[in-house]
Amino acid sequence: MARPAVLLGLMLAAFTFNTAENLPAGLLGRIAAGLGVPLWAVGLLVSCYGLTVAVVSVPLAHLTRAVPRRHLLTGVLAALAASGLGAALAPAYLPLLAARFVTALAQALFWAVLGQVAVGLFAPERRGRVLGVVSVAGSLALVLGVPAGTWIGRHGDWRLPFGLLAVLGLLALLPVAALLPTTPPESAPASYASEPDARRFRTVLVAVALSATGGFAGFTYVVELLGSESGFAPGTVSLPLLCLGLGCLAGVGATGPFLDRYPWAALTTAVVVQAVALLGLAAGARHQVLAVCGLAVLGLALGPVFLAAQNAMLRYAPRRTDLALAANSGAYNAGIAAGAALGGLVLARAGVRATFLAGGLVSLAAGLTLLRAARPRHP
């Protein structure tokens, strides 16, 4: 009973962190009006969050490498709950920004140890499926968490969703603090990779950074694409975005069972599908049906890319897997920041469809990197 309860706690934490990361994007106007600050300042609550995770993931994982995972996760989830409460009670912009910074620090550590702890609860041959289950919970944030939080914040006080995140963080903390074994990190299950391979490890990091850059070069401006190119009215944009979220959920659920037998193929397929979806959106965005289908296919890839990369870290890391997972999270978040910047530059010069074209080409480069590494090396 202890292992399923801990896994449920970790799943709830993944859902809460992913919701917390993206929630301000749906409440920009409400937060700006409530605090009396411009929209761009509220936008920093999202961009600075991702940048913080990118920068601190590896250093924090290194500094806490000797802390038992039970104690570390208990502290991380306590910080999640406290920072959610701090955001809900923030009297001004700077305290809110500080609360978001604390949440970002907690998330950086959480993703560094989540995969290691989750798969360590079960037999090695079930690692991929366990990661898939946890990732489904994280993907539900896009389908359920962010839309629900946005609805609550727009129909009431914008602070309420942040308070609810604090409650969810506390609920996730309880089974982890009570039931997760206190094991020295170096001797815990899944602390070291099953097939250490420095070459493949480096290749995955490069591919993850490129795929995140390509994916978010387009995804950051998806609402603009749907409005200006596809002709969706502002009140109907939620439907194609729901299709994207459902595609993400379906992709993660479908990928999990294949990770144990086909780890490299699963990652490569997700990245290539992402490239095809972005290029398809660049070409067919002016047709609403094609745009919705393209977003659904993009969702099928976005979630599995990060999931399959986590699995690759657990399989190929040349040293401790927590450091490898932190590097993977850092590379992904750095790619998100780079993708948003790339998309902004392309948008200003060539229009929104060109952002998806650029994103597709960068994603294709990531896929080719993985395909090249899959070929056997000759002596």
Side-chain angles (χ1 to χ4, degrees), residues 303-369:
V305 167
F306 187 71
L307 164 62
Q310 282 188 301
N311 183 64
M313 295 295 104
L314 291 167
R315 187 176 290 265
Y316 303 121
R319 293 189 293 169
R320 287 259 299 263
T321 54
D322 53 351
L323 297 176
L325 288 166
N328 180 61
S329 179
Y332 192 81
N333 279 277
I336 291 175
L342 172 64
L345 290 173
V346 174
L347 177 66
R349 289 163 174 77
V352 67
R353 289 172 62 200
T355 67
F356 284 78
L357 174 61
L361 293 175
V362 175
S363 299
L364 185 60
L368 292 174
T369 300

Side-chain angles (χ1 to χ4, degrees), residues 71-169:
H71 299 158
L72 182 61
L73 278 172
T74 299
V76 162
L77 296 177
L80 171 62
S83 60
L85 181 60
L89 299 176
Y93 176 75
L94 286 180
L96 177 58
L97 184 62
R100 293 282 296 173
F101 180 70
V102 173
T103 309
L105 293 178
Q107 178 164 322
L109 268 176
F110 177 74
W111 288 112
V113 300
L114 170 64
Q116 180 193 78
V117 171
V119 303
L121 296 170
F122 299 91
E125 61 271 16
R126 299 177 64 185
R127 285 183 175 183
R129 280 169 286 179
V130 172
L131 277 180
V133 168
V134 174
S135 294
V136 164
S139 298
L140 276 172
L142 293 176
V143 180
L144 178 62
V146 175
T150 300
W151 188 89
I152 292 170
R154 286 182 175 177
H155 290 80
D157 194 324
W158 65 264
R159 300 172 184 275
L160 182 56
F162 290 96
L164 293 175
L165 291 178
V167 174
L168 293 179

Side-chain angles (χ1 to χ4, degrees), residues 186-207:
E186 65 275 3
S187 61
S191 292
Y192 293 92
S194 56
E195 304 171 25
D197 188 323
R199 171 176 168 266
R200 288 203 160 189
F201 168 75
R202 291 191 298 268
T203 300
V204 171
L205 285 184
V206 171

